[in-house]
Amino acid sequence: MRCKGEVGDMNKKRKRSFLALLLCIAALLVYPEPVSAGEATVTFGSNYYRATDNEEFPIGVYLNGDAPIGAYHVELAYDTSRLTYLGGGDGEEDGVITLEGVGLHNQVKYMLRFHTKSGGTAEVTVENAVIETAAQDGETAERFDVTTLATAPVYIEGEDIAAEQEAEETEEAEVPVAGGVPVLAEIETDGAAAYIVDAASYIPEETDWQYEKLSGTFGDTEVTWLTNSMQTVKFLYLADADGRLSLYAYSESAKQLYPCNSLVTNGTKYYYMSPAVCENWPEELTLDAVRSEFIVYAMDMSGQCGFYRLGADNELLEWKPNEGEQAIKRQNRKLIVVLGTAIVLMIAAVFATITADRRKRRQQKKITAKTQKASDDFVEDLSLDVTEEEIRSWYEEAQENYQKGAPVISVEHVTMRFRIATQNVSGIKEYLIQLMKRQVSYRELLALSDVSFRVYPGEIVGIIGTNGSGKSTLLKIVSGALSPTSGKVAVDRKKLQLLTLGTGFDMELTARENVYLNGAIIGHTREFLDAHYDEIVAFAELEGFMEEKVRNFSSGMVSRLGFAIATAGETAEILILDEVLSVGDEFFRKKSLARIKEMIHGGATVLMVSHSMQTIVDNCTKVVWIEKGVLRMEGEPREVCRAYRENRDG
Amino acid sequence: MKSAGAGNREEIRQYYFVIRELVGREIKRKYARSFLGILWSVLNPLMTMAVMSMIFTTIFKRSIENFPIYYLTGQIIWQFFSGATNAAMTALVDNQTLLLKVKLPKQTFVLARTYAALTNFGYVCIAYVLMLFVFRIRPSVTMLLFVVDVFFLLLFSMGIGYLLSILYVFFADVKYLYSIILTLWMYMSAIFYPYESTTELMQKVIGSNPVYAYISVARDAVLYQRWPEPVRLIQMAGWGIVSFAVGYSVFRKNENLVMQKL
């Protein structure tokens, strides 16, 4: 028997082989000379079709003969509940399409068009085919031996309306026993009643694999099993009350039925079920593997069974024993290598750093020893740097130079109001509690009240006042860090430089890194810092300490570095000094004072805050006195300072 | 010091320089007292990945294909997001002295923190690329999408960072609250379990999680090498832009209020 190995109806195959045998015998008996009747097939373009609901799709039908085809008559049945025939054949009546005509060549093609009207699985089947050879040279036409009458399932995506309708219809009919299907006994599966279909008297149409019948028992019921050709797997059909059939496979050891589903992989249809159905598991197959790799037991149309992996797209993949385990082992091996390399790298790096650190420390000691000497020399030079008299004379000079022009800084009616919660609420919980108690009250703090003054080019203006009088707030407003509640400050912020010490210093970084960080924050460019780096280091007297972390510096060293960075390079046109002149040791204080003088002398306009009355009196051309946010006095330094002192003491 | 004729361009250059210095400081600071320093950024994700993968593949067997890369992709994206927002949250408070004394735009500090996280992410990516080689992931055109994904993730993190930094000034508790939110958020991001294996409700929750959108797009781009679902792409761009816009405008509105509070 020839097997085309395609989806075919077993029944028909048998009939076909029987017919072929008969024909052969008949031919032998009737005709002494065997006449080649030729063979023909009726097939579809594909083993199955996929379509979605409410869509038009074609099905190709092919009549193939060994010899040219003459007259033919083929009938195809289709599922009328799910498909509407649109055309392409030679006629249609009651769900049967007729293909009729006379061919010329070995093949006749038809393209049938259908329209889907419901989801589910519809079937198109070649029911009947009579094909004759083409009559040539006066020979009479002979009938082809039609060997294949194909069936093609059409899987339609969408709601299965047809099945529902069918169900309704059968329900209405109220057939007592499983919708007309002969059944044996009632059993329970998944909580619903089901009936065992009597396979002895009724083989459902959808049985499309090569089956054998085998009688046996299921529980207490005598049943006829449908088995695969090797009789290794036993199947039963169960019908529900509506006569809907589903296929189950039986596990001898578990005495249990497992549902079977079908799927199509690479054009071949398989029935798949739980691996429990198979009695002899290969050694490598464990429950673990079944669960983690989605292993199923599957049977093809010829009854061959085997274990497969069920893929993500509902397809069967070859299962190789141990593959999963090996993949995990491979992966874990790689991971261990990665982890190992990382740890080795880490240890290597730790060693490298420790040795580098030790070497650095040794070098540092040498440098520190050297610089200690150098700075000793340097300090001596400083002692004859500046005297108080000189400072005073510089200041007088500056005062002479100072001319009135357009104001550089003009503070007009500046008022600053802070809202301060009376209770310090720093958490949401507290806030909510207080909100509930309606206790979130704010106190208005008037930091500055209608303050106005002007600073002209070349002026050096000092701001005095007790702590919390609003001096710092005023500086912040002038420098632009704060916006006033009302009033206006007119100043060209591009020309303005705020000198504060150590802002943006990071204790964890080295001095060199801090020069760049701090420099960037207070507005120096990279090029500028590169160019003035040596100058800054020299001024701060920190040669040899620059690679050291600032964490290890004394506070004097930090302020020196801060001062050096802040005052490096050319002087800005407007300088704002916030408590700058009380930095470091005595020598450095003089040095920094001298630097400030130099800047002032260079024609800068200065606004400064200092607690040292002496510094104010010595340097300023004008003093502004603020008390509790109100401008109390503005004028000649000595005069204002005297008034301030009297007020404080008295 | 600024020269008299400092133009707009120079200002931008200076701004860029400041951010660069601040970013450098954040990174140097992070590993200031460790021996390995920046090498930790590379080693840390590798070691977590190795440990997590071994544990998960042993417990759950092969439920996820190529688990190490699956996990690592999710992990580095999550680390970037949580690191950036956590750092940005405290940016204003940590730098309050600077803020009060220096005339820099306030957002500089928030930006610097976020960029520091991005730089760190760059080092992490070295480890990531290395692992792609080890686990034989072939280069593909879709990997370019990873860069786009990270860009929008940056926008998203910046937006959240802006909001948090403002909130933190007013309520210090936000820090603790946020750490709890982050934990919950992490488990909702399908970093070490497959999204598909969760219940329908959870899929809805995880599906609307912005961070999951970034992780999912990154996985599609690098691991599966396919175009992500359009929904995820829209989420990716949408969340990034919306978060940044909202965060930035809230930040600008409250800038002055913050200064008063500090």
Side-chain angles (χ1 to χ4, degrees):
Chain A
M1 181 181 138
R2 290 197 337 257
C3 182
K4 294 241 165 186
E6 282 168 4
V7 182
D9 194 324
M10 297 299 138
N11 274 330
K12 281 172 185 155
K13 267 194 183 173
R14 287 186 152 211
K15 270 185 206 159
R16 205 192 312 141
S17 59
F18 187 56
L19 203 72
L21 199 73
L22 268 183
L23 269 170
C24 282
I25 295 166
L28 278 171
L29 286 178
V30 178
Y31 297 100
E33 280 175 53
V35 176
S36 65
E39 287 178 336
T41 59
V42 182
T43 57
F44 292 105
S46 172
N47 286 329
Y48 67 95
Y49 290 90
R50 281 189 187 284
T52 44
D53 198 355
N54 208 18
E55 167 190 68
E56 215 178 297
F57 76 104
I59 291 184
V61 183
Y62 299 88
L63 281 60
N64 302 296
D66 288 349
I69 293 170
Y72 57 87
H73 177 93
V74 177
E75 284 173 4
L76 291 112
Y78 68 93
D79 187 347
T80 46
S81 60
R82 294 188 176 85
L83 298 175
T84 309
Y85 169 72
L86 295 176
D90 298 309
E92 195 267 348
E93 208 178 284
D94 289 332
V96 176
I97 302 162
T98 324
L99 310 178
E100 239 176 344
V102 178
L104 284 173
H105 305 290
N106 287 13
Q107 192 181 54
V108 178
K109 283 188 241 175
Y110 276 92
M111 195 52 77
L112 305 179
R113 286 179 291 109
F114 291 94
H115 190 270
T116 54
K117 56 184 185 186
S118 160
T121 308
E123 227 163 28
V124 179
T125 317
V126 182
E127 291 266 36
N128 193 2
V130 178
I131 304 171
E132 287 178 1
T133 55
Q136 280 175 331
D137 306 323
E139 279 178 36
T140 47
E142 285 172 6
R143 275 196 182 184
F144 273 112
D145 175 15
V146 182
T147 55
T148 303
L149 295 173
T151 300
V154 181
Y155 302 110
I156 308 164
E157 263 184 57
E159 202 189 342
D160 200 340
I161 308 160
E164 280 168 26
Q165 278 171 353
E166 263 170 52
E168 270 169 38
E169 277 163 28
T170 40
E171 238 171 276
E172 279 166 27
E174 263 189 280
V175 180
V177 179
V181 177
V183 294
L184 289 170
E186 187 180 330
I187 57 164
E188 204 166 283
T189 49
D190 299 329
Y195 304 90
I196 300 170
V197 175
D198 183 13
S201 59
Y202 175 74
I203 306 289
E205 272 172 35
E206 58 255 49
T207 315
D208 50 3
W209 78 94
Q210 291 182 11
Y211 67 88
E212 307 273 338
K213 285 182 185 175
L214 181 73
S215 42
T217 53
F218 171 65
D220 305 327
T221 320
E222 295 271 334
V223 295
T224 305
W225 300 106
L226 293 174
T227 69
N228 62 340
S229 48
M230 275 72 85
Q231 301 202 332
T232 48
V233 189
K234 294 172 179 173
F235 296 98
L236 269 187
Y237 276 103
L238 295 186
D240 64 7
D242 302 331
R244 263 177 298 192
L245 298 173
S246 34
L247 187 62
Y248 283 82
Y250 181 62
S251 162
E252 206 83 58
S253 53
K255 303 255 178 273
Q256 202 183 331
L257 289 174
Y258 292 93
C260 281
N261 295 301
S262 66
L263 53 72
V264 176
T265 297
N266 294 331
T268 317
K269 191 174 172 188
Y270 290 90
Y271 284 92
Y272 67 94
M273 58 219 100
S274 156
V277 171
C278 182
E279 296 301 331
N280 0 297
W281 280 19
E283 225 175 279
E284 299 83 5
L285 191 64
T286 58
L287 271 177
D288 246 5
V290 169
R291 231 171 281 137
S292 65
E293 297 179 55
F294 304 108
I295 307 244
V296 295
Y297 194 57
M299 179 185 76
D300 68 9
M301 289 303 107
S302 64
Q304 294 284 351
C305 295
F307 290 100
Y308 294 88
R309 278 197 295 133
L310 191 61
D313 298 326
N314 221 24
E315 71 214 326
L316 292 180
L317 304 167
E318 204 183 340
W319 173 67
K320 292 182 201 124
N322 282 338
E323 190 193 37
E325 289 280 315
Q326 276 165 3
I328 291 180
K329 271 185 197 154
R330 245 195 327 269
Q331 201 177 66
N332 278 354
R333 227 173 292 142
K334 275 183 191 172
L335 289 172
I336 289 169
V337 169
V338 168
L339 197 64
T341 322
I343 291 171
V344 167
L345 262 175
M346 222 169 70
I347 294 169
V350 167
F351 269 108
T353 351
I354 290 174
T355 31
D357 207 47
R358 211 174 278 159
R359 202 175 304 144
K360 211 169 90 186
R361 233 170 258 173
R362 227 174 287 141
Q363 280 174 349
Q364 211 116 56
K365 261 182 204 163
K366 283 180 201 162
I367 294 172
T368 323
K370 268 186 211 163
T371 43
Q372 215 71 54
K373 275 184 204 161
S375 57
D376 281 350
D377 300 339
F378 201 53
V379 170
E380 277 173 37
D381 287 345
L382 259 175
S383 55
L384 29 111
D385 207 356
V386 202
T387 62
E388 294 291 316
E389 269 67 46
E390 269 180 299
I391 291 167
R392 202 154 288 151
S393 70
W394 273 335
Y395 150 70
E396 270 151 22
E397 245 176 90
Q399 209 170 23
E400 278 166 33
N401 286 346
Y402 135 70
Q403 294 161 342
K404 286 205 174 179
V408 210
I409 305 172
S410 94
V411 177
E412 275 158 41
H413 309 290
V414 166
T415 300
M416 188 72 202
R417 225 177 250 120
F418 287 117
R419 272 174 84 204
I420 293 176
T422 39
Q423 276 106 341
N424 197 15
V425 192
S426 62
I428 292 176
K429 200 179 103 192
E430 283 172 54
Y431 182 83
L432 286 179
I433 290 169
Q434 306 231 339
L435 202 71
M436 300 266 242
K437 291 184 184 166
R438 293 178 178 275
Q439 271 182 1
V440 191
S441 50
Y442 292 99
R443 184 161 55 89
E444 290 258 304
L445 180 81
L446 206 58
L448 289 174
S449 165
D450 198 26
V451 174
S452 308
F453 64 90
R454 286 171 173 195
V455 182
Y456 294 92
E459 262 192 318
I460 299 154
V461 178
I463 301 175
I464 56 171
T466 47
N467 280 336
S469 56
K471 294 176 303 203
S472 297
T473 310
L474 186 61
L475 281 197
K476 279 170 202 161
I477 288 172
V478 172
S479 66
L482 274 183
S483 309
T485 316
S486 69
K488 221 172 75 180
V489 172
V491 61
D492 186 354
R493 297 224 159 86
K494 272 182 197 158
K495 294 176 183 171
L496 180 140
Q497 195 194 357
L498 176 71
L499 285 196
T500 49
L501 296 184
T503 40
F505 266 31
D506 197 299
M507 294 299 156
E508 292 295 340
L509 301 188
T510 66
R512 173 195 288 276
E513 286 160 353
N514 265 311
V515 168
Y516 282 91
L517 174 64
N518 183 251
I521 286 171
I522 62 176
H524 295 318
T525 64
R526 160 164 234 119
E527 293 75 32
F528 175 89
L529 288 169
D530 284 337
H532 291 82
Y533 181 74
D534 292 331
E535 188 191 307
I536 290 167
V537 175
F539 191 82
E541 299 163 30
L542 285 172
E543 292 97 337
F545 292 100
M546 294 311 284
E547 304 306 326
E548 199 69 38
K549 278 181 186 173
V550 171
R551 172 157 56 98
N552 304 328
F553 281 14
S554 69
S555 60
M557 284 160 99
V558 176
S559 338
R560 259 145 61 192
L561 188 60
F563 186 88
I565 300 167
T567 58
E570 289 162 45
T571 314
E573 284 173 50
I574 308 163
L575 268 178
I576 298 183
L577 307 180
D578 192 359
E579 297 283 6
V580 181
L581 297 174
S582 49
V583 160
D585 50 46
E586 193 58 34
F587 297 115
F588 192 77
R589 193 137 67 206
K590 279 198 175 151
K591 194 172 163 184
S592 55
L593 203 58
R595 177 79 185 110
I596 293 291
K597 298 282 165 204
E598 211 178 286
M599 291 168 95
I600 292 169
H601 198 58
T605 307
V606 180
L607 189 63
M608 65 196 287
V609 165
S610 180
H611 281 298
S612 157
M613 237 8 93
Q614 195 57 44
T615 321
I616 298 280
V617 173
D618 287 349
N619 295 291
C620 297
T621 57
K622 185 164 97 184
V623 169
V624 175
W625 172 22
I626 295 175
E627 198 60 59
K628 285 178 184 151
V630 185
L631 186 86
R632 286 285 290 267
M633 205 172 171
E634 179 188 355
E636 208 275 321
R638 276 159 224 281
E639 206 179 315
V640 178
C641 282
R642 200 180 306 120
Y644 171 66
R645 218 168 264 152
E646 276 166 17
N647 178 274
R648 198 180 51 183
D649 298 337
Chain B
M1 218 165 295
K2 292 230 164 112
S3 61
N8 205 24
R9 202 144 144 240
E10 236 165 286
E11 235 165 74
I12 288 169
R13 259 192 63 196
Q14 176 63 17
Y15 187 50
Y16 175 73
F17 176 52
V18 171
I19 288 188
R20 251 192 58 182
E21 284 298 322
L22 281 170
V23 168
R25 162 208 182 186
E26 293 298 335
I27 290 187
K28 282 174 202 151
R29 222 198 134 93
K30 188 172 174 191
Y31 297 112
R33 286 170 194 238
S34 74
F35 277 117
L36 295 184
I38 202 76
L39 200 56
W40 271 119
S41 292
V42 182
L43 290 181
N44 186 37
L46 283 190
M47 294 168 87
T48 6
M49 179 206 72
V51 172
M52 288 292 274
S53 299
M54 279 197 273
I55 292 171
F56 274 91
T57 44
T58 317
I59 296 176
F60 300 113
K61 292 288 154 107
R62 257 157 46 95
S63 46
I64 301 176
E65 287 278 325
N66 216 336
F67 185 82
I69 299 298
Y70 181 90
Y71 171 75
L72 192 61
T73 312
Q75 176 69 9
I76 61 173
I77 295 227
W78 173 256
Q79 279 294 328
F80 170 65
F81 171 73
S82 66
T85 47
N86 248 329
M89 177 167 58
T90 57
L92 290 182
V93 174
D94 291 351
N95 290 303
Q96 53 177 312
T97 42
L98 266 182
L99 270 173
L100 292 175
K101 287 183 175 171
V102 179
K103 41 172 186 175
L104 278 173
K106 273 102 209 142
Q107 44 166 319
T108 315
F109 299 98
V110 178
L111 285 184
R113 288 275 171 98
T114 315
Y115 289 147
L118 185 69
T119 317
N120 201 47
F121 183 75
Y123 287 107
V124 169
C125 277
I126 297 174
Y128 188 50
V129 169
L130 217 69
M131 284 305 104
L132 290 184
F133 276 113
V134 170
F135 288 95
R136 304 239 167 80
I137 305 288
R138 287 199 190 82
S140 142
V141 199
T142 52
M143 286 185 184
L144 293 176
L145 196 63
F146 184 74
V147 182
V148 180
D149 188 42
V150 171
F151 170 75
F152 282 110
L153 174 63
L154 178 69
L155 279 190
F156 179 69
S157 310
M158 272 203 268
I160 302 282
Y162 278 138
L163 283 178
L164 285 172
S165 68
I166 293 283
L167 258 177
Y168 184 60
V169 172
F170 296 104
F171 305 107
D173 289 22
V174 168
K175 191 175 174 182
Y176 305 101
L177 196 64
Y178 188 58
S179 84
I180 295 164
I181 291 173
L182 271 186
T183 314
L184 184 68
W185 203 338
M186 185 188 80
Y187 285 106
M188 296 286 114
S189 302
I191 293 170
F192 43 76
Y193 57 84
Y195 166 73
E196 289 77 14
S197 73
T198 52
T199 61
E200 217 164 283
L201 178 75
M202 281 308 294
Q203 290 200 2
K204 258 182 209 159
V205 174
I206 296 171
S208 51
N209 170 0
V211 179
Y212 176 69
Y214 295 108
I215 292 177
S216 152
V217 170
R219 277 180 189 149
D220 279 339
V222 177
L223 182 56
Y224 303 123
Q225 317 202 328
R226 65 185 178 201
W227 274 98
E229 295 164 54
V231 191
R232 298 275 173 262
L233 285 176
I234 292 165
Q235 277 182 327
M236 172 187 87
W239 278 114
I241 292 163
V242 168
S243 156
F244 183 76
V246 170
Y248 187 72
S249 57
V250 167
F251 191 86
R252 288 310 290 264
K253 244 184 208 162
N254 291 292
E255 239 173 354
N256 259 320
L257 221 65
V258 167
M259 295 305 291
Q260 291 178 13
K261 175 83 185 175
L262 289 172

